[in-house]
Amino acid sequence: EAGVAQSPRYKIIEKRQSVAFWCNPISGHATLYWYQQILGQGPKLLIQFQNNGVVDDSQLPKDRFSAERLKGVDSTLKIQPAKLEDSAVYLCASSLGTGRQETQYFGPGTRLLVL
Amino acid sequence: KNQVEQSPQSLIILEGKNCTLQCNYTVSPFSNLRWYKQDTGRGPVSLTIMTFSENTKSNGRYTATLDADTKQSSLHITASQLSDSASYICVVTFYNAGNMLTFGGGTRLMVKP
C-alpha cells in the first residue's frame, strides 16, 4: 500500500517569499491533516480536512497560511509571505475517517528553511 | 488546557539494553493514548494505541503501559537495537478537544553499539 506522499522534501526560501507544499494522501482516506513540527517539538495541527471541507483550522495563521483540498484528494499548503519562524517540517497525514480510534498515517514531511 | 509532557528529553543507551520512556498528561477524560516512532527525516509511525480501559499493549519489543489514575504512560523498549534510534512521541486524544491529537515534545533516543 502506497503511503502519504509529500513534495518537495526540502525547500529553502528567503523571508517574505512564498512557498507551496503538496500532499497526496493514502488512497481512500477521507481525512487529511497538515501539521507544523518545529525542531525538537511535537507536531502542531494546522488544518484538518474531511473530504474537501475544513473540519478544524483554529491553529492556522490565516494571515499568511492557506490550504485547500479542492477535489477531496490532494492538498496544498501555502505560506505567503514567509517569516523566519516558519522554518519547520510540514507534515501531512491522512486517515480513513475522523473516529477517535483512527490511526493517522504520516508522510515524510517537507523541511522548510526560511533565511 | 490539555497538555502532554514527556521525559527524558533525550536518552543514550547501549545496544541490547532496555529503556523506559515516560509520558504524563493533564486534563481528562481522554479517549486514547498513542505512541509514535519518528525516524530522522521521516514522519511519525504509530507503535501502539490504548484506550482508557487498557493498561498495556505490546508491539514486538515495544510495550506501552497506561495508568489512567495517575495519568501516566510509559513505553518500554526491550533489547534495544541500533534501529531503535529515533524520537518517540506520546499522543493523547482528549474528549474535550474533539478528535484533535495533542502531541508531547518527544524523547530522542540514541542507541550506541
Side-chain angles (χ1 to χ4, degrees), chain B residues 31-56:
Chain B
S31 175
N32 56 62
L33 186 148
R34 309 160 194 258
W35 283 92
Y36 277 86
K37 178 186 179 187
Q38 185 173 22
D39 291 310
T40 301
R42 305 233 174 153
V45 175
S46 179
L47 290 176
T48 63
I49 176 172
M50 292 181 290
T51 64
F52 66 90
S53 60
E54 298 176 291
N55 55 23
T56 188

Side-chain angles (χ1 to χ4, degrees), chain B residues 68-86:
Chain B
D69 291 333
T70 61
K71 299 183 177 60
Q72 292 181 328
S73 176
S74 64
L75 180 68
H76 187 74
I77 303 175
T78 304
S80 61
Q81 300 177 359
L82 298 180
S83 59
D84 293 331
S85 296

Side-chain angles (χ1 to χ4, degrees), chain B residues 88-100:
Chain B
Y88 292 84
I89 306 175
C90 175
V91 187
V92 179
T93 304
F94 292 99
Y95 268 115
N96 61 353
N99 292 326
M100 183 183 296

